[in-house]
Amino acid sequence: MSSQSRLTRPTRRGLLAVGGALGAGAALAACGGEKSSGGKAENASEKSGPWSFTDDRGTKVETKSFPKNIVAFTGTAAALYDYGIEVKGVFGPTKTKDGKPDVQAGDMDISKLEIIGNVYGEFNVEKYAKLIPELLISNMWQKDILWYVPEKSAKKIYSLAPSVALWASNTNMEKALQRHAELAASLGADLKAKKTADAKARFEKASARLRAAAKAHPEIKVLIGSASAELFYVSLAKMSADTLYFQELGVKFIEPKVDAQGFFEGLSWENVGKYKADVIMMDNRSAVLQPKDLSGKPTWGQLAAVKAGQVIPRVTEPIFSYDKCAPILEDLAKAIESAKKVA
């Protein structure tokens, strides 16, 4: 049984509910590199003197020397990689069961990374310590709690190196992108590099396209879904950086009656048709069921959006680089532009 399967208390963190709402059934179920992917990053070993960065907790994180050995949550590491910043180790979904890179690993070569933990609740403190970490970086879905850092070993983990946390909720995608870029720049990334500048321009163009699509098709209602064997989860758009931004651009989302934590509503498969949607965005994370896995759920096949072929992937935990976020907006814009009113 995996560490995910041993979770017993359905908390916001334990459910991995990050907007796409991975439910109980599924949740239980830089070193600054010369190698550049987003622009030439100055090698950390060439930098000297102290380093500091004020993170989204409002904490000014300081190190006496420029950090070389960096360990980060996989998705955050992937965002830094797009700016040319490479880390030594990662924790979070990195490798699938067949050994291939997880969707959250982005363009990173996972064979070159020390994987500290690959599933929720898993964080090998001994491996982490051996890397002699100088900086720990992760996203933050709840105030002062670093994503995928287990509570039971958090004190020990935090004692080994200073940490940086950046919001993935309580903000929108545009602001999250800016903050990740600022962190990358502090670690040596060149934000004026052509690849980065081109990616940002593409993101801005995609944002304008999505705004126009939403304005031209105000009748199209979008549902944010995530599937487990037992339940279907419908998420509230304003609770995650990506869908909040889409909503701000004018996309019309189904608004579920969320639970006390405020992120989603869990529906039995018998009641999966409670909300009428024209387009369904389905959580694309490897830990949850995908549309191809739902053929055994008769009520799924009866949904109007499913019948119309208007189901698209939702990148539930975006890699916050312009390079990775631009296609997300383009895909949603295309879906709305071509969608028929079926609900």
Side-chain angles (χ1 to χ4, degrees):
M1 182 178 292
S2 69
S3 57
Q4 285 179 300
S5 300
R6 290 192 296 268
L7 292 172
T8 56
R9 187 175 54 153
T11 64
R12 166 65 179 73
R13 298 189 74 212
L15 293 176
L16 307 189
V18 295
L22 171 60
L28 302 185
C31 171
E34 291 178 343
K35 182 177 180 180
S36 173
S37 51
K40 186 175 182 180
E42 185 174 354
N43 195 326
S45 64
E46 297 173 357
K47 298 180 76 73
S48 60
W51 173 87
S52 68
F53 180 82
T54 300
D55 74 359
D56 288 352
R57 295 171 296 187
T59 301
K60 185 175 183 179
V61 184
E62 299 178 281
T63 58
K64 292 182 180 179
S65 59
F66 198 86
K68 303 178 183 67
N69 296 338
I70 299 175
V71 175
F73 170 69
T74 304
T76 313
L80 292 174
Y81 182 85
D82 284 347
Y83 292 108
I85 305 299
E86 298 186 51
V87 304
K88 288 290 184 68
V90 293
F91 55 96
T94 306
K95 184 166 57 175
T96 60
K97 292 179 180 179
D98 59 6
K100 295 179 180 179
D102 187 273
V103 64
Q104 294 190 57
D107 294 333
M108 294 188 296
D109 183 349
I110 64 173
S111 68
K112 296 181 179 180
L113 297 169
E114 182 70 53
I115 300 176
I116 307 299
N118 196 55
V119 297
Y120 188 79
E122 179 181 273
F123 192 112
N124 191 314
V125 180
E126 184 178 352
K127 278 188 178 181
Y128 178 58
K130 285 183 178 179
L131 289 177
I132 314 177
E134 295 170 292
L135 189 64
L136 179 74
I137 306 172
S138 188
N139 287 342
M140 182 169 61
W141 291 89
Q142 292 176 293
K143 181 67 173 174
D144 298 330
I145 298 176
L146 272 67
W147 193 227
Y148 269 76
V149 174
E151 293 180 51
K152 63 181 181 181
S153 52
K155 186 175 181 180
K156 175 63 176 177
I157 292 167
Y158 295 145
S159 73
L160 295 173
S163 62
V164 165
L166 295 179
W167 276 118
S169 65
N170 293 307
T171 188
N172 68 18
M173 177 179 275
E174 191 173 37
K175 293 175 182 176
L177 282 166
Q178 181 180 348
R179 291 294 286 149
H180 282 71
E182 289 171 355
L183 175 59
S186 79
L187 293 169
D190 178 9
L191 299 186
K192 295 181 180 180
K194 185 178 186 304
K195 182 175 180 180
T196 297
D198 288 349
K200 186 175 183 181
R202 181 183 175 185
F203 174 82
E204 292 169 347
K205 183 178 180 180
S207 295
R209 179 183 174 183
L210 181 56
R211 186 188 296 277
K215 184 176 181 180
H217 302 277
E219 75 284 3
I220 298 300
K221 287 288 186 73
V222 180
L223 182 147
I224 309 164
S226 186
S228 75
E230 295 81 13
L231 296 171
F232 182 75
Y233 297 87
V234 181
S235 292
L236 188 61
K238 69 178 183 179
M239 298 303 288
S240 297
D242 59 332
T243 46
L244 171 60
Y245 186 56
F246 306 156
Q247 191 171 53
E248 291 172 345
L249 292 175
V251 177
K252 303 296 191 298
F253 285 102
I254 296 294
E255 297 193 0
K257 295 181 179 179
V258 297
D259 62 13
Q261 295 180 35
F263 287 87
F264 62 87
E265 177 181 3
L267 301 174
S268 67
W269 283 101
E270 289 77 11
N271 295 313
V272 73
K274 178 179 179 179
Y275 298 106
K276 311 303 179 184
D278 304 292
V279 174
I280 300 176
M281 299 177 68
M282 286 293 287
D283 188 341
N284 77 331
R285 290 175 297 177
S286 58
V288 303
L289 297 180
Q290 298 303 307
K292 64 180 176 60
D293 304 317
L294 300 177
S295 59
K297 305 287 187 184
T299 51
W300 167 256
Q302 293 170 10
L303 297 178
V306 176
K307 288 182 178 180
Q310 294 178 176
V311 178
I312 64 173
R314 185 232 171 162
V315 183
T316 303
E317 293 188 54
I319 293 171
F320 287 116
S321 72
Y322 293 106
D323 181 72
K324 295 298 183 292
C325 287
I328 296 174
L329 272 74
E330 292 167 350
D331 290 345
L332 181 55
K334 181 179 179 180
I336 293 176
E337 290 164 354
S338 61
K340 296 178 180 179
K341 181 67 182 175
V342 295

